């Protein structure tokens, strides 16, 4: 039995940007292991094509930060962890190369939503867009699994969206962290699928 992922569904792509994914980005500068990123982006590319083929809306979620709206709580937390808070929060700054898309970008008919917090639902136009598109289900991909993907999934579930997380189209900088996050999401908030399962569901519709 299919899951109806082409019926009132959208593909969400979270934070596939140079600061998070590129060897010239901030996370690389901080020493993050990027080895799982490109395989996940490969799967996202396949999903984008499948979504286009089956008329499923594609929504790119991008972190675009501004100093004026940096989180006080986040800066205080970074300071308590021993980091320079001003440097730590200066990721995907508006107008910098780090905020640019990594490998994939919206095409004709796709959508883009800017955010300034982990969750794509906080302080953004995402809910209005989903309402306009009559979307009730979210197929979620992107980086990082345990942070912005997780935060978006939890908020989406609490707002009564059906959530499907694509395990091999998400990435973290630590494989154990990715696996643990997927397990927790699958226990409480989301149906865990592979990219092939999503594509098969779309093809069988």
């Amino acid at each position: 039995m299919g899951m109806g992922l082409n019926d009132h569904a959208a593909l969400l792509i979270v934070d596939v940007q140079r600061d998070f994914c590129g060897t010239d980005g901030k996370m690389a500068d901080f020493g993050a292991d990027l080895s799982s990123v490109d395989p996940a982006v490969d799967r996202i590319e396949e999903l984008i094509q499948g979504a286009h083929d089956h008329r499923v809306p594609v929504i790119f979620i991008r972190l675009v930060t501004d100093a004026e709206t940096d989180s006080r709580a986040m800066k205080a937390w970074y300071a308590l962890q021993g980091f320079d808070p001003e440097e730590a929060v200066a990721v995907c700054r508006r107008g910098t190369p780090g905020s640019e898309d990594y490998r994939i970008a919206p095409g004709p008919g796709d959508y883009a939503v800017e955010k300034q917090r982990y969750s794509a639902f906080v302080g953004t136009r995402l809910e209005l867009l989903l309402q306009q598109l009559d979307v009730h289900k979210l197929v979620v991909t992107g980086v990082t699994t345990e942070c912005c993907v997780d935060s978006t999934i939890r908020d989406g579930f609490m707002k009564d969206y059906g959530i499907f997380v694509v395990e091999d189209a998400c990435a973290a900088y630590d494989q154990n962290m990715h696996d643990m996050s997927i397990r927790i999401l699958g226990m409480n908030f989301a149906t865990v699928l592979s990219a092939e399962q999503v594509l098969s569901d779309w093809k069988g519709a």
Side-chain angles (χ1 to χ4, degrees), residues 7-189:
D7 181 26
H8 299 288
L11 175 65
L12 253 59
I13 301 166
V14 178
D15 292 5
V16 181
Q17 297 164 266
R18 286 174 61 179
D19 263 350
F20 294 123
C21 302
T23 56
D24 57 349
K26 281 290 184 74
M27 294 305 108
D29 290 345
F30 294 156
D33 178 358
L34 304 178
S35 59
S36 66
V37 169
D38 279 322
V41 178
D42 290 343
R43 300 289 82 75
I44 295 172
E45 286 183 316
E46 296 171 5
L47 290 168
I48 291 171
Q49 184 59 57
H52 289 164
D53 290 344
H54 298 282
R55 298 185 179 180
V56 174
V58 177
I59 304 173
F60 283 74
I61 306 297
R62 296 170 173 145
L63 180 71
V64 183
T65 66
D66 300 285
E68 295 82 2
T69 50
D70 282 341
S71 166
R72 289 190 301 270
M74 185 179 291
K75 288 197 286 188
W77 178 82
Y78 273 122
L80 289 170
Q81 312 314 309
F83 297 103
D84 177 344
E86 299 299 332
E87 179 183 355
V89 299
V91 176
C92 294
R93 281 295 199 226
R94 187 179 305 279
T96 68
S99 68
E100 296 172 359
D101 297 311
Y102 175 77
R103 285 186 48 188
I104 54 176
D110 294 340
Y111 302 90
V113 173
E114 289 186 4
K115 66 183 177 72
Q116 297 203 345
R117 297 293 186 267
Y118 293 149
S119 171
F121 286 95
V122 174
T124 74
R125 67 186 189 103
L126 179 59
E127 281 191 89
L128 290 176
L129 177 60
L130 296 176
Q131 291 169 14
Q132 185 69 21
L133 296 172
D134 197 21
V135 165
H136 307 154
K137 305 170 191 173
L138 302 176
V139 179
V140 185
T141 67
V143 297
T144 59
T145 315
E146 84 290 350
C147 190
C148 295
V149 171
D150 178 288
S151 297
T152 296
I153 284 173
R154 290 176 188 241
D155 280 357
F157 185 76
M158 296 302 173
K159 293 175 181 291
D160 280 343
Y161 290 94
I163 307 291
F164 301 83
V165 59
V166 190
E167 181 173 9
D168 55 345
C170 296
Y173 306 128
D174 178 295
Q175 188 61 41
N176 290 332
M177 188 79 72
H178 169 83
D179 293 342
M180 183 184 300
S181 181
I182 289 291
R183 182 181 178 190
I184 292 170
L185 291 171
M187 287 175 63
N188 298 288
F189 307 105

